[in-house]
């Protein structure tokens, strides 16, 4: 799965990020994306809340309350 979205949350422990649609500035529900490597964590730490990014990975869970969860294979900041 490849998703493009706006970075909404960076977990303080560096375990996950959350992205929301780029076309909805008031979105609060997004896709929770789990960081799997130190390389991914380093890439995320270079980003800021509100940046547009592309996340590639596998959907690992679909919940009624929390929505989609994805294990990251690759994450890159998109050109604005």
């Amino acid at each position: 799965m490849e998703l493009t979205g706006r970075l909404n949350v960076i977990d303080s422990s560096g375990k996950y990020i959350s992205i929301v649609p780029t076309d909805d500035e008031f979105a609060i529900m997004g896709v929770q994306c789990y960081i799997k490597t130190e390389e991914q964590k380093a890439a995320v730490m270079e980003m800021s809340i509100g940046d547009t990014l592309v996340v590639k990975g596998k959907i690992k869970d679909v919940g009624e309350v929390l929505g989609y969860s994805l294990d990251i294979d690759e994450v890159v900041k998109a050109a604005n």
Side-chain angles (χ1 to χ4, degrees), residues 12 31 55-56 59 61 79:
S12 62
V31 176
V55 177
K56 296 179 185 178
I59 299 291
D61 192 23

Side-chain angles (χ1 to χ4, degrees), residues 3-9 17-33 49-55 68:
L3 302 173
T4 299
R6 182 171 39 86
L7 184 57
N8 188 47
V9 172
I17 60 173
S18 179
I19 62 171
V20 293
T22 56
D23 60 353
D24 183 355
E25 78 177 86
F26 299 107
I28 56 170
M29 279 301 280
V31 176
Q32 201 161 359
C33 305
I49 300 297
D51 285 350
T52 299
L53 53 101
V54 177
V55 177
Y68 291 89

